[in-house]
């Protein structure tokens, strides 16, 4: 009553203030006067206005604090201040909420805020006691039972939590969230039979509720009662076939079949998930990738996975991720031409992304369709003129056509647009490789140059070597641990016979990084050793490369032959050279390694 009287007195005093007339000069603004007993109320009211009307939290907090300076036991100001700082200063909020509660313990607003502040500040021990009192004081609020049960569980008192939830069930009936908490507590206390009994009761109350059937099926599944689980999963599926919750049912069934390793039924449920408009595309793609990571699984369930891929392609024909997913699926299925055709069809899409062109160009490269490569390279750059990956492909095209000067110009121009160290390193590496190709142009292969002691003196060769050396160095500055780059640089130096100790250092780093598992990198290391005259070591490493080489690369056979020849074993060397010729090595280069017919006689 005292608060209502004070508010009324304040209202009357404000109404009684003299009004200003039309053209009369305004009197100076008077400093408001109030009785000492009303000062806290006035400051509190101004704080509420600042907080809720002007959204000025800082000023509101100042006014609330000023009100408490006037009257330290003014409960409304403690309550308002606690709410204002609850998220930013929980300990301070707790203290103010406690003061408000102590000033008026019968006020449910103060009681709830005090309980909430204890949770926010992490004072769970005290919170438990306060929520017990709050449950009794506010017995019609089911949320109090939920939080109290959670606090009992946190304090390792699961049976007290169960008792609290049972009380809530008696008072309010079944509430899904509280029922779920109860089942979890029954399971955690190894009362599985009671959990199943509770779930059965829920199903009996609403047998056509798919979610209830799923709960019971899941419990049967957990307790290895497979036949009962299967029955209730089926009932859930039938009850939920047209429900908005059908997705939950499908996922539950898919996971059930996955655990039982019944992958055909699992994929059948997944097919229904993929056909659903409720599930997001991202989740469908993630699930498809999960299934296709295992190649053995991919082969065994190819037809089911093919159905999933086709479903995505039909439902989302313009989505870039789906186009890429379906194209990759076709490639893994051995249908490269169909994948290529798919990408070509989508090149007509509005704003077709550059990755479509990159895929088409790479596949045309693989199929050795040079004219198509040239067409799509130029077409792609017309659509995406600033794309660095497409510029790289254009430079690569020039390199394959032996137009290395044009390739270098393309890579150099792309450098001006490269923003990352990775791209800059790649481009400098490509420039270096192109200069390396120029330095080798018109010369025998590296082995014949060593055998015949050929040392080019032309200025073009010297310039190319110097430019390649410079470009490799720049590339390594951006990516000093790039394995492929170190390998190419080491091989270049070995071929040219320059800075061989540094070439060996790079080659060793590559071998250490790859664990002697790559035939090409071992070949480079062996060739560096060979160029330094360490023939026995070189032959040993080269033999390891031959063993690891699954492609029967003719250049490796030639290198082993050259090293063996340098060791004086001409017969074995010729054997390796002949094998290289059979594997497709240049016939003239092999012929040049054998003595003329007159010498043989």
């Amino acid at each position: 009553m005292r608060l209502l009287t004070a508010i009324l007195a304040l209202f009357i005093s404000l109404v009684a203030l003299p009004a200003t007339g039309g053209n009369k000069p305004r009197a100076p603004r008077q400093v408001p006067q109030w009785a000492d007993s009303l000062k806290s109320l006035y400051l509190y009211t101004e704080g509420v206005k600042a907080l809720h009307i002007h959204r000025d939290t800082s000023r509101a907090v100042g006014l609330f604090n000023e009100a408490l300076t006037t009257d330290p036991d003014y409960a409304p100001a403690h309550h308002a201040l606690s709410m204002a700082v609850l998220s930013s200063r929980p300990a301070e909020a707790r203290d103010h909420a406690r003061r408000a509660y102590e000033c008026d313990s019968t006020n449910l607003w103060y009681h709830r805020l005090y309980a909430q502040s204890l949770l926010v500040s992490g004072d769970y021990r005290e919170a438990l006691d306060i929520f017990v009192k709050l449950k009794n004081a506010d017995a019609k609020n089911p949320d109090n039972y939920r939080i109290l049960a959670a606090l009992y569980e946190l304090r390792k008192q699961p049976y007290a939590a169960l008792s609290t939830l049972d009380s809530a069930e008696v008072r309010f009936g079944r509430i899904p969230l509280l029922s779920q908490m109860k089942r979890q507590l029954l399971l955690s206390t190894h009362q599985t039979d009671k959990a199943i009994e509770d779930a059965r009761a829920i199903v009996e109350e609403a047998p056509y509720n798919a979610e209830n059937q799923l709960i019971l099926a899941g419990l049967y599944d957990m307790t290895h009662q497979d036949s009962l689980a299967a029955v209730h999963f089926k009932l859930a599926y039938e009850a939920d076939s047209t429900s908005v919750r059908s997705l939950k049912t499908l996922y539950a069934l898919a996971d059930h079949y996955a655990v039982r390793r019944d992958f055909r039924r699992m994929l059948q449920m997944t097919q229904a998930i993929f056909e659903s408009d409720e599930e997001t595309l991202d989740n469908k793609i993630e699930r498809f990738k999960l299934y296709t990571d295992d190649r053995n699984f991919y082969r065994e369930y190819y037809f089911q996975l093919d159905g999933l891929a086709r479903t995505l392609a039909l439902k989302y024909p313009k989505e870039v991720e789906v186009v890429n997913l379906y194209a990759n699926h076709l490639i893994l299925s051995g249908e490269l031409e169909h994948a290529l055709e798919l990408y070509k069809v989508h090149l007509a899409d509005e704003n077709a992304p550059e990755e479509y062109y990159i895929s088409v160009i790479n596949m045309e490269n693989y199929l050795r369709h040079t004219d198509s490569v040239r067409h799509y390279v130029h077409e792609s750059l017309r659509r995406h003129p600033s794309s660095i990956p497409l510029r790289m492909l254009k430079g690569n095209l020039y390199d394959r056509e032996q137009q290395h000067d044009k390739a270098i110009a393309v890579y150099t121009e792309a450098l001006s647009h490269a923003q990352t160290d990775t791209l800059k390193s790649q481009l400098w590496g490509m420039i270096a490789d192109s200069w390396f190709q120029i330095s080798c142009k018109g010369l025998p292969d590296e082995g014949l140059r060593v055998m015949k002691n050929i040392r080019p003196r032309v200025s073009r060769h010297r310039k190319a070597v110097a430019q390649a050396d410079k470009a490799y160095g720049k590339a390594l500055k951006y990516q000093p641990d790039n394995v492929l780059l170190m390998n190419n640089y080491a091989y270049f130096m070995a071929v040219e016979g320059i800075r061989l100790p540094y070439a060996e250092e790079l080659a060793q780093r590559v071998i250490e990084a790859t664990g002697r598992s790559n035939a090409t990198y071992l070949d480079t290391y062996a060739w560096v050793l060979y160029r330094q005259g360490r023939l026995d070591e070189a032959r040993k490493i080269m033999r390891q490369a031959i063993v690891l080489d699954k492609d029967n690369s003719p250049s490796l056979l030639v290198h082993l032959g050259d090293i063996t020849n340098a060791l004086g074993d001409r017969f074995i060397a010729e054997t390796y050279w002949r094998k290289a010729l059979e594997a497709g090595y240049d016939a003239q280069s092999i012929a040049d390694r054998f003595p003329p017919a007159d010498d043989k006689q």
Side-chain angles (χ1 to χ4, degrees), residues 289-300 305:
K289 289 178 178 177
L290 177 67
Y291 292 154
T292 54
D293 276 346
D294 186 333
R295 294 300 173 87
N296 292 328
F297 186 89
Y298 204 145
R299 283 194 294 269
E300 186 171 355
L305 294 169

Side-chain angles (χ1 to χ4, degrees), residues 246-263:
S246 61
L247 200 59
K248 183 175 182 179
T249 305
L250 292 170
Y251 268 119
L253 282 163
D255 293 341
H256 166 71
Y257 291 132
V259 170
R260 298 289 177 268
R261 302 188 69 79
D262 187 348
F263 296 125

Side-chain angles (χ1 to χ4, degrees), residues 501-519:
Y502 181 48
E504 182 181 356
E505 177 191 332
L506 291 180
Q508 283 180 332
R509 285 172 58 192
V510 170
I511 297 300
E512 289 168 3
T514 56
R516 294 178 175 269
S517 60
N518 185 292

Side-chain angles (χ1 to χ4, degrees), residues 175-195:
I175 297 175
L177 181 58
L178 299 186
S179 295
Q180 182 183 357
M181 288 183 68
K182 181 179 176 181
R183 282 192 302 276
Q184 290 173 344
L185 283 165
L186 287 169
L187 292 172
S188 68
T189 54
H190 308 291
Q191 300 181 72
T192 309
D193 292 341
K194 286 188 177 181

Side-chain angles (χ1 to χ4, degrees), residues 420-582:
T420 67
D421 286 352
T422 300
L423 278 176
K424 291 174 183 177
S425 178
Q426 288 176 339
L427 287 165
W428 276 115
M430 290 175 172
I431 291 170
D433 291 340
S434 296
W435 279 115
F436 185 15
Q437 293 299 315
I438 290 173
S439 72
C440 295
K441 204 166 186 177
L443 295 173
D445 67 45
E446 59 275 16
L448 273 174
R449 278 191 260 170
V450 174
M451 287 176 61
K452 299 181 180 296
N453 198 26
I454 298 173
R455 297 182 179 179
R457 300 296 183 188
V458 294
S459 59
R460 180 174 176 79
H461 175 81
R462 290 198 301 272
K463 176 186 175 183
V465 170
Q467 291 292 345
D469 191 22
K470 178 181 175 183
Y472 278 128
K474 287 186 175 181
L476 270 181
K477 284 183 180 178
Y478 287 111
Q479 278 191 304
D481 296 321
N482 186 303
V483 169
L484 179 61
L485 187 56
M486 287 191 290
N487 176 78
N488 291 354
Y489 195 8
Y491 189 70
F492 158 74
M493 288 186 283
V495 168
E496 297 301 330
I498 59 174
R499 301 167 64 199
L500 294 174
Y502 181 48
E504 182 181 356
E505 177 191 332
L506 291 180
Q508 283 180 332
R509 285 172 58 192
V510 170
I511 297 300
E512 289 168 3
T514 56
R516 294 178 175 269
S517 60
N518 185 292
T520 300
Y521 298 158
L522 288 171
D523 171 54
T524 296
Y525 185 36
W527 201 247
V528 171
L529 294 173
Y530 167 64
R531 292 292 276 141
Q532 294 182 91
R534 294 155 63 180
L535 302 180
D536 287 323
E537 294 176 71
R539 180 168 61 178
K540 180 180 177 181
I541 299 297
M542 190 60 73
R543 283 174 174 169
Q544 292 177 16
I546 296 290
V547 170
L548 289 171
D549 181 30
K550 297 178 181 178
D551 299 325
N552 194 29
S553 173
S555 61
L556 269 64
L557 293 166
V558 170
H559 283 172
L560 182 55
D562 292 345
I563 294 169
T564 304
N565 181 62
L567 283 164
D569 197 339
R570 180 75 183 184
F571 175 77
I572 299 298
E574 290 181 358
T575 302
Y576 286 125
W577 290 334
R578 289 190 180 96
K579 285 183 178 181
L581 182 62
E582 293 169 4

Side-chain angles (χ1 to χ4, degrees), residues 158-175:
Y159 295 102
L162 282 168
S163 176
T164 302
L165 294 172
D166 284 336
S167 299
E169 192 171 300
V170 169
R171 179 176 287 275
F172 305 109
R174 294 188 188 277
I175 297 175

